[in-house]
Amino acid sequence: MTDPILVEIVEGTLASVEKEVETAIARTARSPMIRDAHDFRAGIHDARLRKLTGRSYSALVQPVVRDFPVESMRPGDVYFHNDVYLSEGGIGHLPDLCVTVPVFHEDAVVAFVQAFGHHDDIGGSVPGSMPSHARSVFEEGLMVPPIKLWDQGVPNEAALRIMTRNSRMPDSLAGDLDAECSACLMGARRLGELFERYGRQAVEECFDAIIDKTTETFRRELLSKIPEGTYVWEDYAEHDGVDEPRLHAQRITLTVDHAAHSPLVIDFTGTSPQAKGPINHAGDYADGVFLKKWLAPVLRNLADTPERMAELDVNEGVVPLITMIFPEKGTLLTPVFPAPTNARTFVILRLLGVLAGVLAKATGGRMPADQETIRYTGVHGTDADGQPYLMREVLGGGSGGRWYADGEDTIHVVPDSRNIPVEFAEARWPFRVERLALACDSGGPGMFRGGLGYDKHIRMLRDASYMSIADRSILSCWGVNGGLAGRPFRVEIAGKEMEGLVDDHPVQAGELIRIRTTGGGGWGSPYDRDPRAVAADVRDGKVSIAGALGDYGVVLDGDRIDEQGTAELRARLRPPADRFFDRGPGYAKLSDGRTFAEVDEL
């Protein structure tokens, strides 16, 4: 039997090494997206290519080992790739650059340290390498299949020169890659010390124990709460940048059989055909192993308490619990090369919500309402010195209300990621941030309110171009169990409303860009929310007086709650029966006036 104390030591060491790698990258990288917004993550994998750490998702080692047998690897080697269609599903779009370093013990590869993140620019037709109207991956930037970027400690200067030559931000790209390679090499040394201290057999037995513990914990504590049966639900992306806005469906049919080796079967049949524009995600590789680890954190919402949920890591142990069935080639999840993919967040983020929705149907609502916590906004142009610049920010939004609490405000789905500090932005780029606040009334009304999005105002000091890669500008984050949908994404420039997908809308010096990100959906009927909580939201600026009256039926007289008036108004406003899902008014615009989908029925 594996020594449980040694398992704790190894598990703690893995978490420490992963954190040290990420800290090193954050302190030495050059680009704002990596250094300041922290849109990257590290991962540690064993020699069997299994992900051992659970702080965040990561890319895969499979494509590196596929092209470079482990027997050919040497200490100091660093491998690189960003090719979506040659990444086995681990890379979603070309700006996500991945470096992989093998760990050695007694001349044998025993593990891998990996880092991948979203970089400023890797070429393509527009600054930022995310052309919103792309029809081909060839428009999106430089594709690099797995290559050896460092050979036994010596950088491949020719490859680095090719990559930086294709970037509009060559200095920051070079700095970021150097930071990531050096940090992963450092992490490999740290892991090598672990093997030297305890020996390969003991450490690998601990790896098995760590993964087995996750499998057993998820099976016993989480999956056991889902009744056996088959459940179907779907949600939608609203536009692809090429065709007119319409419903691009992502469907999950979930079958639960607790006696099976894999208790969950996730079938994506019914997902819409691949889009002409860049919202496709190549997920049907390596049996969907990336998507299994990407979706599994949703299951943590089934934990007995929020505290227990926070304790549960997602590593390779979740993979054997899930079987995935993909439709034939040519859908949003099974695109055919060279379909564009740069806005694939519209699909993979929506899939998190689809799984949450189908689980809500299965568990009587014991799932949070919807959230949409990634959208890219920014400006590009030239500064006072005539130098080109690119400011791109991943602004979060509100998370969904939960069966026990309100949603969180302005969260970011990438672990430890954040908005760009105002002081840094104003010192670096020619604009002024006049407001950065919570977007009042953006959270979906509910017994537990959805979290609020951002309200950000940017005043341009020089002529520039605005860019945006954002969904949920028509559709809303849905509410559940009687909760109502949140407010959608909105951008106005000089008072003119923008679409969600924009490459280069001109902005004149002095004009104001107002960005309002999505609010999470509400959970439970808003007419069951404690009026004192509504009054507190009004005092805090999270809900307006009009919102308190119209959305919650709460009558306020200054700071005082009119209890009789509230009771009478709620009696008039309360519908005869709550809908289990509320998709918001935007759904009717894209569905010929329908207010709910057939799959919404319980």
Side-chain angles (χ1 to χ4, degrees):
M1 178 179 177
T2 307
D3 181 354
I5 296 176
L6 183 56
V7 173
E8 291 290 328
I9 292 171
V10 170
E11 192 169 23
T13 301
L14 293 173
S16 176
V17 170
E18 183 181 64
K19 184 65 175 177
E20 188 174 3
V21 170
E22 292 193 353
T23 300
I25 292 171
R27 294 182 64 181
T28 58
R30 293 281 300 276
S31 72
M33 186 66 74
I34 300 294
R35 184 189 62 222
D36 300 289
H38 205 276
D39 190 5
F40 72 95
R41 61 225 48 96
I44 298 173
H45 308 253
D46 70 3
R48 295 164 59 186
L49 316 185
R50 302 178 301 176
K51 186 173 184 292
L52 300 170
T53 47
R55 288 186 60 252
S56 68
Y57 61 96
S58 63
L60 303 176
V61 181
Q62 279 87 338
V64 174
V65 173
R66 178 198 65 212
D67 292 355
F68 294 89
V70 292
E71 296 80 10
S72 69
M73 297 178 178
R74 298 292 180 266
D77 288 350
V78 179
Y79 298 89
F80 173 91
H81 70 286
N82 78 324
D83 190 317
V84 171
Y85 289 94
L86 293 177
S87 71
E88 300 296 319
I91 297 293
H93 58 182
L94 296 182
D96 281 350
L97 310 183
C98 181
V99 298
T100 305
V101 173
V103 179
F104 284 84
H105 175 68
E106 296 180 349
D107 298 324
V109 174
V110 292
F112 297 89
V113 179
Q114 192 175 73
F116 88 115
H118 189 129
H119 293 69
D120 274 342
D121 190 278
I122 192 69
S125 62
V126 302
S129 309
M130 296 185 68
S132 64
H133 307 301
R135 291 173 176 263
S136 164
V137 72
F138 294 110
E139 301 173 52
E140 298 178 319
L142 182 68
M143 290 179 283
V144 183
I147 63 170
K148 187 183 290 188
L149 191 60
W150 288 34
D151 188 351
Q152 299 183 70
V154 179
N156 183 336
E157 297 294 346
L160 288 167
R161 188 178 181 190
I162 291 170
M163 285 190 280
T164 55
R165 180 62 174 166
N166 277 271
S167 174
R168 297 170 180 85
M169 305 290 161
D171 292 340
S172 64
L173 177 59
D176 288 350
L177 287 173
D178 186 59
E180 290 156 358
C181 292
S182 299
C184 287
L185 286 166
M186 177 270 294
R189 292 193 298 271
R190 296 283 189 271
L191 279 183
E193 294 167 1
L194 181 68
F195 281 88
E196 290 174 7
R197 187 175 305 122
Y198 298 108
R200 179 172 182 175
Q201 180 177 343
V203 172
E204 290 186 338
E205 288 175 354
C206 291
F207 289 171
D208 291 339
I210 291 167
I211 291 172
D212 290 345
K213 181 177 71 171
T214 296
T215 303
E216 177 57 26
T217 298
F218 269 67
R219 185 189 294 273
R220 184 184 67 253
E221 293 189 27
L222 306 181
L223 303 191
S224 63
K225 293 185 170 65
I226 311 172
E228 290 191 334
T230 298
Y231 312 91
V232 184
W233 204 62
E234 67 183 28
D235 205 2
Y236 316 93
E238 62 196 27
H239 52 176
D240 72 344
V242 176
D243 286 332
E244 290 299 310
R246 61 181 176 86
L247 297 177
H248 298 265
Q250 291 114 76
R251 174 176 286 209
I252 286 178
T253 299
L254 177 69
T255 301
V256 184
D257 180 359
H258 295 303
H261 175 71
S262 296
L264 300 187
V265 176
I266 296 176
D267 186 347
F268 298 108
T269 301
T271 293
S272 289
Q274 74 181 47
K276 295 177 183 176
I279 65 171
N280 307 290
H281 175 69
D284 59 324
Y285 292 86
D287 296 322
V289 67
F290 174 83
L291 278 180
K292 291 178 184 181
K293 288 177 281 189
W294 169 259
L295 293 175
V298 173
L299 298 169
R300 296 187 298 188
N301 289 286
L302 296 169
D304 288 336
T305 65
E307 293 77 17
R308 180 55 177 157
M309 179 175 67
E311 294 173 350
L312 299 176
D313 283 345
V314 174
N315 57 35
E316 205 76 16
V318 303
V319 171
L321 297 172
I322 303 170
T323 296
M324 286 188 167
I325 299 174
F326 291 93
E328 294 183 359
K329 283 289 188 181
T331 71
L332 291 173
L333 275 176
T334 59
V336 178
F337 178 84
T341 66
N342 74 78
R344 95 295 187 209
T345 50
F346 293 12
V347 169
I348 63 172
L349 285 180
R350 194 71 66 252
L351 286 178
L352 294 170
V354 179
L355 181 57
V358 78
L359 287 170
K361 291 181 70 172
T363 61
R366 196 181 168 93
M367 275 283 134
D370 191 35
Q371 63 187 39
E372 177 70 21
T373 56
I374 287 182
R375 78 273 309 137
Y376 303 89
T377 60
V379 292
H380 56 89
T382 56
D383 61 22
D385 298 324
Q387 296 299 311
Y389 73 88
L390 168 66
M391 187 289 288
R392 183 174 54 186
E393 187 170 26
V394 184
L395 278 178
S399 69
R402 297 158 287 183
W403 57 271
Y404 56 88
D406 292 342
E408 300 287 343
D409 302 323
T410 58
I411 68 163
H412 294 241
V413 72
V414 177
D416 299 328
S417 66
R418 56 188 71 92
N419 60 43
I420 294 178
V422 170
E423 297 81 3
F424 171 84
E426 292 183 337
R428 186 178 180 107
W429 297 305
F431 59 73
R432 195 168 55 239
V433 179
E434 296 189 349
R435 178 178 173 84
L436 181 61
L438 298 178
C440 182
D441 288 332
S442 59
M447 183 169 68
F448 295 109
R449 175 182 44 74
L452 274 59
Y454 283 99
D455 186 15
K456 186 168 187 174
H457 299 183
I458 298 173
R459 181 81 62 182
M460 296 306 303
L461 303 180
R462 294 177 57 84
D463 292 354
S465 295
Y466 166 78
M467 58 168 290
S468 170
I469 299 289
D471 204 17
R472 294 297 200 209
S473 61
I474 301 172
L475 301 174
S476 300
C477 296
W478 42 266
V480 71
N481 204 35
L484 303 184
R487 299 282 177 88
F489 175 78
R490 289 285 184 272
V491 174
E492 294 180 358
I493 297 179
K496 179 182 177 181
E497 188 171 317
M498 296 287 102
E499 296 180 348
L501 287 166
V502 180
D503 283 337
D504 54 1
H505 182 83
V507 189
Q508 304 301 312
E511 290 185 335
L512 184 71
I513 303 172
R514 178 177 178 177
I515 303 167
R516 185 181 174 103
T517 67
T518 51
W523 193 98
S525 171
Y527 307 119
D528 292 329
R529 184 168 177 82
D530 188 335
R532 292 171 297 180
V534 177
D537 282 342
V538 172
R539 288 194 299 270
D540 293 341
K542 295 186 174 185
V543 173
S544 66
I545 292 177
L549 192 69
D551 293 334
Y552 292 94
V554 173
V555 181
L556 298 174
D557 181 7
D559 290 336
R560 187 182 67 84
I561 300 169
D562 181 344
E563 295 186 4
Q564 181 177 347
T566 294
E568 293 174 353
L569 179 59
R570 285 185 161 184
R572 293 199 304 272
L573 293 177
R574 187 184 293 272
D578 292 321
R579 288 206 179 277
F580 192 72
F581 294 103
D582 176 61
R583 295 183 182 270
Y587 178 74
K589 297 179 182 179
L590 301 180
S591 63
D592 298 325
R594 289 180 287 123
T595 58
F596 65 95
E598 181 180 348
V599 294
D600 293 350
E601 297 291 345
L602 296 180

